[in-house]
């Protein structure tokens, strides 16, 4: 359990999924994204419960970086448990996410949503029922801040969104004009949706003179007004640099931007990456790990141990899979997390590795 004057950043990455839990000081906690632990519970809630934290009172903010399955499993349950927390999410929406808003706030008839839209719908229902509001995020949106005298470590703390960019938001507004016709079933397939990764919300946590950069799944695109290049350009000359980096998109080269490492990160940087696996594809690749080793002073992977995937299915389901002739990946990374803890401006983080997490 961190002391009142300590910052703690814990990154959970069971192999498919990602969640970040932060103690910002004086018993106040923040959650970004959601994944499930080996028991099928939101990793953030299990962790805080184990620490004996009053989740209802102590979690002040819950954010969704984007609505891909690996970042939102258990998010509605998390929003329900964190009754004092404000929910924040990216302001640029996909069609399914837009429908979730319509269904909750305009009482529109239910249309089929994808999994991300469904989880958003469930989160919005809880927010609505509990009289809370959401905070829409785009570049440079302040999610919350605390003045130095408000917290035991006497440092100013703020969490700020860095994306989606203004261009990505105005592209969303342009797409929006087609949505009513799609709802009426008239222009199906006419709009091209951006990837949810491209709309995802990167953030910077500032504590005194130190920063923590949370890269979400934000990928690199060719348009400099979008994604990482827009983030770098907007942050040029701004302090602080970050000494801790949650590497974007599970270490994938698609999310790498040299300027992020040059302009936004401290030389003493510690990096942490969560693995991802689906259908035989895995991130990070060996080449990604080599790049991350080269660029950071220390780098950690939240999980490497594998457990048989068949443990996750009962005998009946396994029989059905076998008889259908479906091949599937026989192993999956087990749950793991990395914890960084430090006193602001006075020490480098101490690191704890749990459940198969390793230094790479
Ligand atoms: Zn992801």
């Amino acid at each position: 359990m961190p002391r009142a004057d300590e910052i703690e950043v814990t990154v959970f990455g069971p192999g498919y999924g990602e969640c970040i839990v932060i103690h910002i000081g004086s018993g106040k906690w923040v959650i970004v994204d959601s994944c499930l632990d080996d028991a099928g519970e939101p990793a953030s809630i299990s962790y805080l419960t184990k620490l004996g934290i009053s989740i209802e009172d102590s979690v002040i903010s819950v954010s969704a970086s984007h609505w891909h399955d690996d970042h939102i499993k258990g998010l509605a349950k998390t929003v329900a448990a964190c009754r004092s927390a404000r929910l924040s999410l990216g302001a640029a929406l996909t069609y399914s996410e837009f429908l979730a808003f319509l269904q909750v706030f305009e009482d529109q008839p239910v249309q089929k949503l994808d999994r991300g839209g469904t989880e958003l719908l469930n989160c919005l229902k809880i927010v609505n029922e509990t009289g809370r509001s959401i905070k829409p995020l785009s570049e440079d949106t302040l999610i919350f801040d605390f003045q130095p005298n408000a917290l035991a470590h006497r440092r100013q703390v703020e969490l700020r969104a860095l994306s989606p960019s203004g261009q990505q938001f105005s592209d969303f507004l342009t797409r929006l004009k087609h949505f009513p016709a799609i709802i009426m079933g008239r222009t199906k397939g006419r709009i091209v949706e951006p990837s949810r990764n491209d709309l995802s919300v990167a953030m910077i946590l500032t504590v005194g003179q130190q920063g923590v950069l949370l890269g979400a799944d934000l990928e690199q695109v060719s348009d400099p007004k979008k994604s990482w290049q827009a983030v770098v350009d907007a942050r040029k000359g701004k302090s602080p640099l970050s000494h801790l980096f949650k590497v974007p998109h599970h270490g994938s080269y698609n999310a790498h931007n040299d300027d992020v490492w040059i302009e936004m990160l401290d030389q003493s940087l510690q990096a942490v990456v969560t693995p991802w696996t689906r259908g035989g594809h895995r991130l990070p690749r060996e080449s990604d790990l080599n790049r991350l080793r080269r660029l950071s002073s220390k780098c950690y992977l939240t999980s490497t141990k594998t457990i048989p995937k068949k443990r996750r299915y009962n005998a009946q389901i396994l029989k059905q899979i076998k008889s259908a002739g479906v091949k599937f990946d026989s192993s999956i990374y087990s749950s793991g997390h990395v914890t960084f803890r430090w006193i602001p401006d006075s020490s480098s983080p101490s690191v704890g590795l749990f459940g198969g997490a390793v230094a790479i």
Side-chain angles (χ1 to χ4, degrees):
M1 166 87 105
R3 293 190 330 232
D5 64 346
E6 287 179 319
I7 305 295
E8 184 187 281
V9 174
T10 296
V11 179
F12 293 89
Y16 185 79
E18 182 177 300
C19 171
I20 301 155
V21 177
I22 305 170
H23 177 250
I24 59 163
S26 296
K28 295 188 189 303
W29 293 83
V30 171
I31 296 172
V32 178
D33 288 342
S34 183
C35 62
L36 303 181
D37 60 18
D38 289 342
E41 291 298 316
S44 56
I45 299 299
S46 298
Y47 180 68
L48 293 173
T49 303
K50 217 151 99 186
L51 291 182
I53 307 293
S54 166
I55 291 163
E56 198 172 319
D57 308 313
S58 306
V59 180
I60 60 152
S61 171
V62 174
S63 301
S65 69
H66 63 301
W67 298 92
H68 269 156
D69 213 28
D70 59 324
H71 293 251
I72 53 160
K73 277 192 172 172
L75 193 67
K77 206 169 177 180
T78 305
V79 171
C82 302
R83 294 181 69 88
S84 311
R86 191 162 188 191
L87 174 66
S88 51
L89 49 96
L93 304 173
T94 64
Y95 172 62
S96 182
E97 294 157 19
F98 178 75
L99 280 187
F101 272 87
L102 275 188
Q103 289 184 19
V104 171
F105 296 108
E106 293 297 321
D107 215 14
Q108 293 275 319
V110 175
Q111 292 202 15
K112 195 166 162 44
L113 306 178
D114 63 15
R115 269 193 288 190
T118 303
E119 193 73 19
L120 172 57
L121 177 73
N122 293 335
C123 289
L124 293 176
K125 279 182 184 165
I126 294 161
V127 164
N128 211 17
E129 282 159 15
T130 51
R132 289 180 272 171
S133 59
I134 59 139
K135 183 151 194 166
L137 305 177
S138 60
E139 62 175 59
D140 212 26
T141 308
L142 185 64
I143 300 171
F144 63 77
D145 69 334
F146 287 89
Q147 294 307 305
N149 57 6
L151 299 168
H153 47 64
R154 304 262 161 199
R155 299 293 189 286
Q156 182 164 355
V157 173
E158 66 168 50
L159 183 64
R160 195 173 281 276
L162 302 174
S163 63
S165 69
Q167 183 63 54
Q168 276 156 322
F169 183 67
S170 67
D171 284 0
F172 159 59
L173 295 179
T174 306
R175 287 198 313 282
L176 201 56
K177 70 180 177 210
H178 298 295
F179 288 177
I182 300 173
I183 292 168
M184 303 296 286
R186 288 209 295 264
T187 62
K188 228 174 175 179
R190 252 175 66 178
I191 58 162
V192 179
E193 294 255 75
S195 151
R196 279 184 163 132
N197 286 353
D198 295 343
L199 300 180
S200 79
V201 182
M203 300 175 193
I204 183 167
L205 174 77
T206 301
V207 182
Q209 299 304 310
Q210 293 167 319
V212 175
L213 183 59
L214 305 176
D217 271 1
L218 193 62
E219 290 190 58
Q220 182 65 3
V221 297
S222 56
D223 185 343
K225 290 184 177 162
K226 297 179 181 177
S227 300
W228 281 114
Q229 204 52 51
V231 171
V232 170
D233 291 344
R235 290 293 300 178
K236 228 165 216 158
K238 289 187 180 162
S239 62
L241 300 180
S242 291
H243 68 134
L244 192 57
F245 186 25
K246 199 296 290 174
V247 175
H249 197 217
H250 316 286
S252 163
Y253 187 70
N254 294 343
H256 175 76
N257 178 312
D258 275 332
D259 289 343
V260 170
W261 294 79
I262 295 164
E263 304 277 352
M264 298 183 67
L265 301 172
D266 194 277
Q267 283 197 329
S268 65
L269 176 80
Q270 303 207 52
V272 56
V273 60
T274 64
W276 176 92
T277 181
R278 181 185 267 177
H281 297 288
R282 287 186 175 181
L283 292 171
R285 296 184 182 91
E286 197 52 45
S287 57
D288 300 320
L289 294 176
N290 287 336
R291 186 182 70 254
L292 295 171
R293 278 187 202 108
R294 197 178 67 244
L295 290 168
S296 54
S297 72
K298 281 182 184 157
C299 187
Y300 304 93
L301 183 64
T302 54
S303 184
T304 51
K305 259 191 338 193
T306 55
I307 54 172
K309 194 173 182 180
K310 63 185 177 191
R311 280 211 326 237
R312 302 167 72 229
Y313 298 98
N314 65 32
Q316 175 85 27
I317 292 171
L318 275 174
K319 209 172 151 191
Q320 284 171 0
I321 291 172
K322 219 172 169 186
S323 65
V326 175
K327 283 185 183 165
F328 67 100
D329 191 2
S330 63
S331 66
I332 192 166
Y333 294 105
S334 77
S335 195
H337 64 273
V338 181
T339 293
F340 302 87
R341 194 181 286 175
W342 70 99
I343 297 169
D345 293 338
S346 60
S347 60
S348 60
S350 66
V351 182
L353 305 175
F354 301 93
V358 290
I360 59 167

